[in-house]
Structure formats: C-alpha cells, structure tokens
Amino acid sequence: MIVSTTAFLRRNNGRAVLPETRPYTFNEADTGTARDSGQAGAYWLGVAGAADQAVSRLEELLDTRRPGLLDGGPGAFELRSDIAYWRGESGDASGALEQFEQLLADVVSATGRDGFHALAVRNHVAYRRGLNGGIKRALEEYRRLLPDCESSLGAGSRDTLMVRNNLAYWCGESGDATGALELFEQLLADVVPALGADDFYALATRNNVAYWRGFTGDVAGALTHYRVLLEDCEGTLGTRDYHTLSARLQLGLWSGVAGDLDDAIESLDRLLPDVEGALGTAHELGFSVRHQLARWYGARGDTGKAVSILGALVTDQRRVLGDGDYRTLASQGLLSRYTR
C-alpha cells in the first residue's frame, strides 16, 4: 500500500506528528510495495517539502490511468491514498480527512468494513480526524477499529499493534495521561516478544512509555528511560536516524521540565544542526527542536533570544505546515506571549 510506504519512509527519515510523540499510519512496515516512477517522483517531492506538488503529480497520474479501485499493483486505491496523505502534509487537514472519508466509503462499498484496505483507510480517517481536532471521536473510532483488526489480522500482527499505538496516543491526547501510559506499557510488553527488542517499533514504543511517564509526573523516570533509550537507538539505528534524534530532543525537553534549563538549552543547541544536517531545514523535527529551544530560552529569561527563534520558526512553519496547523499555532502563541 503506497501511502503506508510513504508514511514509513517519511517518518523513518523523520516525520513527527507531534514534537514529543506520534501515532502511525497503517502498515508502515510494508516497504516492499511496488510503485512506479511517477509515484516515486511524487513521494520525493513530498519529502522535499513540496507536498502540494506531490498532490498535483499524483492527481495527474490518477486522471491518466483511471484504474479500477482495487486492481493489482499501484492502482486507484494507492493513488487516492497518496493524494489524501500528501494533501494533509500540504497543510490541508480538512481536505485530507474528506478524501480519506470518501475513499473509505468506496472501499467499504466494494469489500466491506473488515478487509485489509478498509481497515487501512479506517485508520487514516481516525488519525486525520484527531489531527482536525476531533480527538474524542478519533479515540472512539480506534476503539472500534482495534477488535476488527485483531479479528481480521491477528492480535500479534504489526498492523494491529500499530492500531494499539494509535489508540494509546489519542487516549493521551484526550487528556488521560495515566491511561495512555498504561496502554503503552501493555503494548510494549507485547511488541518486544512479537517483533524483538531492537525492532524499530519497540524502540518507538519505549519512547512513548518514557514520554507519558514524564507526563504523569515522573520526570526523573522519563529522563532515566530516555538516556537508556538513546544508547539503544544509537546502537541499533545509528546517530542520524529519526528516532535517535527524537530521543535526544526528549532528553532536552525533559531536562527543561526538570528545571535544568542550561542543560536543556545546551543539548538542544547541539541537536539542531544534527537534525537539520540529517533531515533538512524544513523538517518538523527541526521545528520541534527550535520550538523547545525558544521555550527554554524564554523560561530562563532570555526573551530576546526566544523571540528571534520564534519569529523565524513561525515563518517556516507557515510555509511548510500551513497557517492553521496546530504546531504553527503553538509557536505563534508562544511568540505572542513573549512580544506582549
């Protein structure tokens, strides 16, 4: 499924839905899915930050090819999934949700609600609904989706485990940090025997456990977990991998929460050139590092430095993410706070 491969590659090269933790799209491990040169070109346009151009390229392919919805190979389903995905990445969150909802109606009409394609799009719909602010409804949709995945795909399948990740994620985003931590701890207990301790998703789940541990008030425990996780990410994934860089971001973030502002700023200052060198200057993880830097400079009393960082950051986020993206709005809100 092309959109799954796109999401996996983009995230494994560093796409963060949130600065601290994130849900997954469906079947991200399916990196062997075939794609033609046109779709590959659209993918690289999107990765380079030209998501709107990726959408245009894919729409041209769809108009030219007009394949059946679920034919073999990269047909209409994959093209429409990619179009909706990159539309969301271009900043059109509501348009992405609308397209995924229409795709779901068409797939359900063709195959029912419990086939793989329907399960995949149901995940996308719930995920995009959460990003559009419908967090409680997204959570409800994931609660309905999970038993269907367990029944159709198996409780131990990678896709089912990822749906559990998303359920836990939106549980936390709904305000239930304790519930999110419990769900992630349960997930980790199942991910390690199913996929291995060094698996990409096992490391990601450990990140979520550490993050929500901090959010429930155990900041020292979160820092301890992240220090160990960083060592394992560096050993397994390398120093330039998204998850390694993300773990370093977490250490900076939680050092600041713990009150060690100098360490937080120093860590994040060292991290930013490494992130931008590995992932580019228009990458969301770099935006997150810059946001946290501004946050801790401001907390230390250096509002001039914070304003300087945030002014450039908001400009870049508007260009890449859009004016209405919640990350752009968060940085704008912090900037407004320091410029009153």
Side-chain angles (χ1 to χ4, degrees), residues 3 18 31 59 85 95 113 127 152 162 171 204 226 274 336:
V3 71
L18 290 179
T31 56
E59 287 177 336
Y85 174 80
R113 291 183 61 81
Y127 162 54
S152 298
M162 292 310 102
C171 180
Y226 274 119
D274 293 341
S336 298

Side-chain angles (χ1 to χ4, degrees), residues 291-338:
H291 182 98
Q292 292 301 325
L293 264 174
R295 174 184 178 186
W296 300 123
Y297 271 120
R300 198 173 66 175
D302 192 346
T303 55
K305 183 69 172 178
V307 168
S308 176
I309 293 171
L310 288 166
L313 175 58
V314 169
T315 298
D316 291 342
Q317 287 178 314
R318 284 174 172 167
R319 173 175 54 84
V320 176
L321 305 175
D323 291 341
D325 186 272
Y326 64 94
R327 291 157 292 190
T328 305
L329 294 173
S331 296
Q332 179 64 60
L334 196 58
L335 178 60
S336 298
R337 172 183 168 187
Y338 289 132

Side-chain angles (χ1 to χ4, degrees), residues 260-281:
D260 193 346
L261 303 184
D262 290 339
D263 182 69
I265 291 170
E266 181 181 352
S267 298
L268 293 167
D269 265 329
R270 290 197 308 268
L271 173 59
L272 183 59
D274 293 341
V275 170
E276 294 184 337
L279 307 175
T281 58

Side-chain angles (χ1 to χ4, degrees), residues 22-334:
R22 64 196 176 89
Y24 292 88
T25 55
F26 201 86
N27 198 32
E28 289 181 341
D30 183 16
T31 56
T33 305
R35 70 163 15 98
D36 66 16
S37 59
Q39 286 172 290
Y43 162 73
W44 289 113
L45 279 171
V47 169
D52 54 344
Q53 294 180 40
V55 170
S56 297
R57 177 78 60 86
L58 291 164
E59 287 177 336
E60 290 173 2
L61 287 172
L62 185 62
D63 288 340
T64 300
R65 190 172 303 160
R66 299 187 183 280
L69 179 62
L70 298 175
D71 63 355
F77 176 81
E78 288 81 3
L79 286 168
R80 289 175 62 185
S81 294
D82 268 4
I83 290 168
Y85 174 80
W86 288 114
R87 188 171 299 284
E89 297 303 288
S90 73
D92 186 1
S94 61
L97 175 58
E98 182 178 347
Q99 288 191 322
F100 273 123
E101 287 179 322
Q102 183 57 60
L103 180 58
L104 178 59
D106 293 343
V107 172
V108 169
S109 177
T111 67
R113 291 183 61 81
D114 297 333
F116 176 80
H117 291 86
L119 295 173
V121 184
R122 287 171 63 188
N123 177 82
H124 280 296
V125 167
Y127 162 54
R128 291 291 169 181
R129 197 179 309 284
L131 292 185
N132 273 271
I135 293 175
K136 290 186 177 180
R137 186 172 172 187
L139 186 58
E140 293 170 358
E141 290 178 354
Y142 273 116
R143 285 175 174 149
R144 292 194 295 269
L145 176 61
L146 178 58
D148 292 342
C149 287
E150 290 174 334
S151 176
S152 298
L153 306 175
S157 78
R158 185 180 292 266
D159 295 315
T160 300
L161 294 172
M162 292 310 102
V163 167
R164 287 176 60 186
N165 174 94
N166 292 0
L167 173 60
Y169 172 83
W170 290 114
C171 180
E173 289 303 300
S174 73
D176 186 2
T178 300
L181 176 59
E182 291 175 355
L183 289 173
F184 276 121
E185 287 177 331
Q186 293 166 8
L187 176 61
L188 183 61
D190 293 335
V191 164
V192 171
L195 305 179
D198 294 334
D199 184 85
F200 168 84
Y201 292 117
L203 296 172
T205 304
R206 288 170 60 189
N207 173 81
N208 284 320
V209 168
Y211 173 78
W212 288 107
R213 186 174 298 282
F215 236 83
T216 59
D218 185 6
V219 176
L223 282 167
T224 298
H225 275 72
Y226 274 119
R227 291 187 182 107
V228 176
L229 176 62
L230 177 57
E231 292 181 3
D232 293 343
C233 285
E234 288 177 336
T236 301
L237 303 173
T239 59
R240 291 170 61 87
D241 182 84
Y242 168 82
H243 286 83
T244 303
L245 297 168
S246 180
R248 290 175 61 188
L249 168 61
Q250 297 304 319
L251 280 173
L253 186 157
W254 290 107
S255 291
V257 173
D260 193 346
L261 303 184
D262 290 339
D263 182 69
I265 291 170
E266 181 181 352
S267 298
L268 293 167
D269 265 329
R270 290 197 308 268
L271 173 59
L272 183 59
D274 293 341
V275 170
E276 294 184 337
L279 307 175
T281 58
H283 195 278
E284 294 101 323
L285 187 62
F287 293 164
S288 298
V289 176
R290 292 161 66 184
H291 182 98
Q292 292 301 325
L293 264 174
R295 174 184 178 186
W296 300 123
Y297 271 120
R300 198 173 66 175
D302 192 346
T303 55
K305 183 69 172 178
V307 168
S308 176
I309 293 171
L310 288 166
L313 175 58
V314 169
T315 298
D316 291 342
Q317 287 178 314
R318 284 174 172 167
R319 173 175 54 84
V320 176
L321 305 175
D323 291 341
D325 186 272
Y326 64 94
R327 291 157 292 190
T328 305
L329 294 173
S331 296
Q332 179 64 60
L334 196 58

